[in-house]
């Protein structure tokens, strides 16, 4: 059945928004994904120290995606161009990594 969204919302008794980390513990998944990204990025560029949980909480958690990527890279002395949202990882940009 193809019922318009507005009709389904109007018939609802409650609507939940932005539950990331509220009902589903997504922080562990986010942390693992960022760990993988930065492990690869740091290895390719010889950056140290290794990325860890402290970096996640201090530099990534709660920030918009590209701001977090930029903060982590700058914490290791690396500045990349911002790029554009459509960039892929090989573009060498903050958006590409994000």
């Amino acid at each position: 059945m193809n019922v318009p969204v507005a009709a389904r919302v109007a018939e609802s008794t409650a609507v939940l928004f932005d539950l990331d980390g509220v009902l589903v513990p997504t922080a562990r998944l986010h942390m693992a994904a960022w760990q993988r990204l930065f492990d690869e990025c740091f290895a390719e560029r010889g950056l140290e120290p290794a990325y860890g949980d402290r970096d996640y909480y201090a530099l990534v958690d709660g920030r918009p995606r590209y701001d977090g990527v930029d903060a982590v890279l700058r914490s290791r002395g690396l500045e990349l161009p911002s790029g554009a949202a459509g960039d892929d990882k090989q573009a060498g940009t903050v958006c590409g990594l994000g």
Side-chain angles (χ1 to χ4, degrees):
M1 176 162 76
N2 193 6
V3 179
V5 172
R8 290 189 307 236
V9 170
E11 294 173 3
S12 300
T13 56
V15 179
L16 304 174
F17 296 96
D18 195 17
L19 301 176
D20 188 29
V22 177
L23 295 181
V24 178
T26 55
R28 290 247 177 252
L29 297 173
H30 288 184
M31 290 174 72
W34 286 116
Q35 183 76 52
R36 182 174 175 184
L37 172 77
F38 288 119
D39 284 351
E40 291 173 9
C41 175
F42 287 12
E44 289 170 4
R45 293 170 172 84
L47 298 176
E48 299 217 0
Y51 177 85
D53 289 356
R54 286 185 182 179
D55 293 306
Y56 176 80
Y57 289 113
L59 303 169
V60 176
D61 190 39
R63 294 184 186 205
R65 176 182 307 157
Y66 303 132
D67 292 350
V69 171
D70 190 49
V72 171
L73 297 176
R74 287 176 184 271
S75 77
R76 302 309 194 277
L78 179 62
E79 292 184 37
L80 293 180
S82 293
D87 289 354
D88 84 2
K89 189 173 153 187
Q90 305 309 316
T93 65
V94 168
C95 289
L97 288 173

